[in-house]
Amino acid sequence: MSIAEKMAANQKQVAISEFFEKNKHFLGFDTLNRALITAVKEAVDNALDACEEARILPDIIVKISKLDNKKDILQVEVEDNGPGIPRASIAKVFGQLLFGSRFHAIRQSRGQQGIGITGVVMYSQLTTGDPTHVESKIAKEATAVSVDIGLDTRKNKAIKSNQDRIDWGEKVHGLRIRTTMKAKYQRGRQSVWQYLRMTSIVNPHADILFIDPDGEKHHWQRVTERLPGRVEAIKPHPKGIELGQLQRLCSESTESRMTTFLRRTFSGVSQRAAKELCEVSELEEKLKPKSLSAQQVRALLEAFQGERQLKGKSVKLLNPPTSCLSPIEELLIKKGLSKTIDSKFVTTMTRAPSVAQGNPFQVEVGLIFGEGMTADKPVEILRFANRVPLMYQQGGCLLTKAIESVDWRQYGLDQAGGRGVPKGPAAILVHLASTNVQFTSEAKEALSDNETVMEEARKAMLEMGRGLRKHLEKQKKMGKTKEKFELINDIIPAIAEKSASLLELPVPDLAASITKIMSAVIAETTTTWNKATKQTDVHITLYNYTSRARSYTMLVNWPERQGASMVNNNLGGRKEAMGVWAWKLETLQPGVQTVISYSLADLEKGDWNETDVFYRGSQEVIGATKMDEKLLEEIRRQEEALNAPLPEDDEPLDVNESSDDESVDESEPNAPPSDTMQTTLFGGDY
Amino acid sequence: MAERKSIEETKTALHDVVREMYDRIVKGEPPTMTLPVRTKNNIGFDAKLGVYKYGRKQTIRDATSLGSAKQLLRALHVIEFIESMIDDGKSSTLREMYYISEGWGLGKFQSQNESNNLAEDLEIVTRCLREDFKLRPEEDGARMIGNLTLRERNRRGEWMRINARDDVGDSGYGVPYNVEAEKIEFLEHDVNFIMAIETGGMFDRLVENGFDEDFKCALLHLKGQPARSTRRIMKRMSEEWDLPVVVFLDGDPWSFRIFASIAYGAIKTAHISEYLATPTSTYLGITADDILAYDLPSDDLSKKDIEALNAELSDPRFADGWWQEQINMMLEVGKKAEQQSLAKYGLDFVTETYLPEKLQALGL
């Protein structure tokens, strides 16, 4: 079976067409502007999901043209290079509402957020009476299918017309949709442009071309060839299940024993837990799940939720695996932000996966700061759920609240009273990846409150804030170092010369004055991309402006974990810890400079723009930070933890006696301990 | 006491500044320039002179930071420039010097303010006047109307006799930037006092109403914060002709400062207070109680106004009881009023009612 066919086979159907007509207001079609964004969003989200599943780097073209100005009739065309949809499935995909694998599989996907492409077909038909034109080509067929899709909204069925086969020339696979609708094209914060811009930030692997109604082209290029990690569907977790769902799972089960059923149907249930669950819900282990009465199902659910307890404790469950999540990851967020917003400093933070109410989730944040953005306005907030931009209801969204809960003043942004959206030349990105994104309403534009998620998001913000503060402090320090250099290299010699000439005396020797003025060792660091070698060159120049010889150990951070390698290291040195390199410099003579230089290979441009330099030694080094040995210890400890052999899958975690809520927060044993996933070790205080 | 210096004295004084920097470098120390602290915390009343002067607090500007090192370098350039002007018999405006500094490379000024301040620094350190440095202000002198006769040496070097009532138009006699004896001599007058006025509108009102003749006084337009030459000519007239000076300003914190600079000396120019300030001058209005007594149209004090008033409370020049009372009253009332708000009661109210009442209270 081809990928396309497999995907289609997963689809199940739900009849709900009529529902749409009555409820289009909260399905994203309430205003003419929003209807357009929703239409583009449904098509693009599908394209990205399909490409991701089929492991294809997406090329997406969106074109909007005006058909009838007076009546606000627009034509929307979306084309992708995805796997295409087999002929037999086209009618189902486009003609039945709430049709799709995403409602049944537990994993992170974009599509779960929308009513689906069928909504677009329906909206088009309702506002213009026209069907939607679909062309689809799958790799194993020589020609593409071309068909017009209309809807029988009462029967929840597609009406196909003008079916044909056409030649697509070079293009091997993909999907083209062309639909007309009553809609308005607007610019600004809530626009197709903004949606695509945001989409491109969190999908750095996608190439998106947008042609607006004026014919202007907006092109967001692919900045990485790396596809998002493959996400696996996971079994539901007992904590995240509802009664109806549990009933269905029981009645559809073919297992012959409750314990096997529990272990095989759910994630996080060990053999011991399965037995204990049966015990507390007063079910025979040998019972057939199919035979459970409504009463018994309810008892089981109570056991799941910890309402039924064994010796005063709820049954211990493991956390669900987090392999079902696909974070964007820090380097890629960095790239995504950098390509769309032209600014200097980017800091990102991907938290370790966590679990809330049985649902795995993961928070990622990014912050871009610098010139080119307005300094006296609130920062731009870029919210995403499962890589889908959220563009409405910013104020009511959990992610916004997480930003607002941080006192940004301590990190260098303006914020009245230390609450609310901060002001400054910055944009903050927040991404929630989860198998079950909870929205405040059907409109699916704002995430609803959840303490666990909020706390994770807040922690991520704090970490990122520290990164920003560190950057600003460093900027300041670098500015000071630069000033010192100007002082001793230019100004003092000029004063000496001018005063000598006015007094008609010889120019005095400056060395002693300069040493007095500087009385420090100075480190100047540059990190630059070398076009020719495709490497990142780092130079650290040390000047000893004190009156005696000094000895130091200099240390740097470098992206070892991101797969970089260190080459052309002139002074050798040694590895101090994961991502930390050190050089011992025995003697720095007064008035002499020493250069450490090396290059980082196996990185792309923009991956590494700033190197942090640390020192060990008694006298301060301007331009470097004193090494915090505790921090280094921490890095080493986590490195060990990462390399340690992992416990067996089915063994319950040896959690200390604690409340049930806390044990939920423990990670699955086959995922690394949560802290080792944090990569901004240098973002902390020291 | 600041006095005019000879060319040689000026050059020697400037060289002393250079010498301080040079010697420090020779000693292996960062170069420095020592000068008095120029804030309100370092001005004190000089009983002998009757004005406020800088106290003993010194600040050492040393070249350990980029900013002060640049200041030192600029000072050297300015000194070199002054010497060349002295040698060539030229002079320049401060603004011209600012533009000339474009060619000074690292020693170039970033703003006109910087060059003005540096010229003042050098005045203070060398005890010379900027006239000795051949530097002229850009600032526009005041204008004057009244029965005063003086003679001014014009640019051809001839003395011109001018009566500031009969020989001038409605805009009055324009006070030149140099009002020293080599430029202006006072001959005779027939006035009882000099009235200094903040705004042009009020000056013109009094001129139109013939106030100078009715009350036998000279009117002087300050144009806001008065220029050095304006303060200097007031000082000379009040001293040489023994005339009282009354000062008629808006009723706001900034006017209080203008008065302080006229009567007691400005903080910025405290090194030459005895040369610029008129200790016998009197504040006529608008006072804080005028706002209430005359029920004048007023504006609420802004945040900056309040800050300024609070700063004045701790300014030694406003330490006396009357000023403390006025400042506190204004803070309490929370209002300020302009001179021209007197027009509420008609155009003649100021000349027929307000000023006569106020002058009577002062015994004039």
Side-chain angles (χ1 to χ4, degrees), chain B residues 142-160:
Chain B
R143 48 201 182 115
M144 239 173 17
I145 273 188
N147 191 3
L148 310 168
T149 309
L150 46 79
R151 61 179 201 156
E152 179 183 333
R153 199 197 288 269
N154 69 16
R155 64 203 148 122
R156 283 187 294 277
E158 298 153 359
W159 285 105
M160 287 175 63

Side-chain angles (χ1 to χ4, degrees), chain B residues 22-185:
Chain B
Y22 185 86
D23 287 351
R24 296 271 301 177
I25 298 177
V26 170
K27 274 190 217 148
E29 302 282 337
T32 56
M33 182 167 156
T34 311
L35 64 167
V37 173
R38 293 173 67 189
T39 67
K40 71 174 180 189
N41 299 320
N42 188 36
I43 54 168
F45 189 68
D46 184 324
K48 212 167 76 196
L49 299 169
V51 293
Y52 282 84
K53 296 281 291 173
Y54 288 127
R56 290 216 186 83
K57 284 182 200 156
Q58 298 264 315
T59 170
I60 294 174
R61 186 173 291 164
D62 71 10
T64 51
S65 78
L66 186 63
S68 27
K70 280 188 171 172
Q71 285 280 63
L72 297 191
L73 182 59
R74 283 183 201 122
L76 292 173
H77 277 284
V78 169
I79 289 168
E80 186 181 49
F81 176 62
I82 291 169
E83 277 193 16
S84 74
M85 283 197 297
I86 291 175
D87 292 344
D88 299 346
K90 286 250 167 65
S91 72
S92 90
T93 65
L94 286 163
R95 187 143 192 87
E96 281 168 333
M97 181 172 79
Y98 166 63
Y99 283 120
I100 283 169
S101 86
E102 287 282 324
W104 294 351
L106 299 164
K108 125 178 192 195
F109 290 114
Q110 301 301 311
S111 72
Q112 164 101 50
N113 217 5
E114 261 179 22
S115 61
N116 294 1
N117 282 333
L118 189 55
E120 277 167 9
D121 286 346
L122 287 176
E123 276 186 322
I124 297 166
V125 180
T126 60
R127 298 175 174 274
C128 294
L129 286 179
R130 68 182 176 203
E131 284 79 3
D132 299 323
F133 297 158
K134 311 294 170 195
L135 289 172
R136 285 183 270 121
E138 193 64 23
E139 63 203 12
D140 194 357
R143 48 201 182 115
M144 239 173 17
I145 273 188
N147 191 3
L148 310 168
T149 309
L150 46 79
R151 61 179 201 156
E152 179 183 333
R153 199 197 288 269
N154 69 16
R155 64 203 148 122
R156 283 187 294 277
E158 298 153 359
W159 285 105
M160 287 175 63
R161 188 186 165 94
I162 300 165
N163 180 285
R165 182 187 63 187
D166 303 335
D167 303 337
V168 299
D170 288 350
S171 64
Y173 167 69
V175 178
Y177 71 85
N178 182 357
V179 295
E180 296 308 311
E182 74 246 23
K183 176 80 176 167
I184 285 180
E185 275 178 22

Side-chain angles (χ1 to χ4, degrees), chain A residues 316-327:
Chain A
K316 262 177 222 159
L317 298 166
L318 299 172
N319 272 335
T322 49
S323 52
C324 51
L325 296 176
S326 157

Side-chain angles (χ1 to χ4, degrees), chain A residues 328-369:
Chain A
I328 309 162
E329 289 167 10
E330 292 173 6
L331 273 182
L332 291 182
I333 296 181
K334 210 173 238 184
K335 283 191 176 172
L337 279 172
S338 304
K339 80 166 163 178
T340 34
I341 302 172
D342 191 19
S343 233
K344 290 276 155 62
F345 172 73
V346 187
T347 175
T348 54
M349 169 81 212
T350 298
R351 293 285 296 175
S354 184
V355 177
Q357 284 82 47
N359 293 308
F361 74 94
Q362 191 165 13
V363 174
E364 296 181 280
V365 292
L367 181 145
I368 185 158
F369 179 93

Side-chain angles (χ1 to χ4, degrees), chain A residues 73-85:
Chain A
I73 303 296
L74 294 178
Q75 176 178 284
V76 180
E77 290 172 88
V78 178
E79 177 179 339
D80 66 45
N81 62 340
I85 299 170

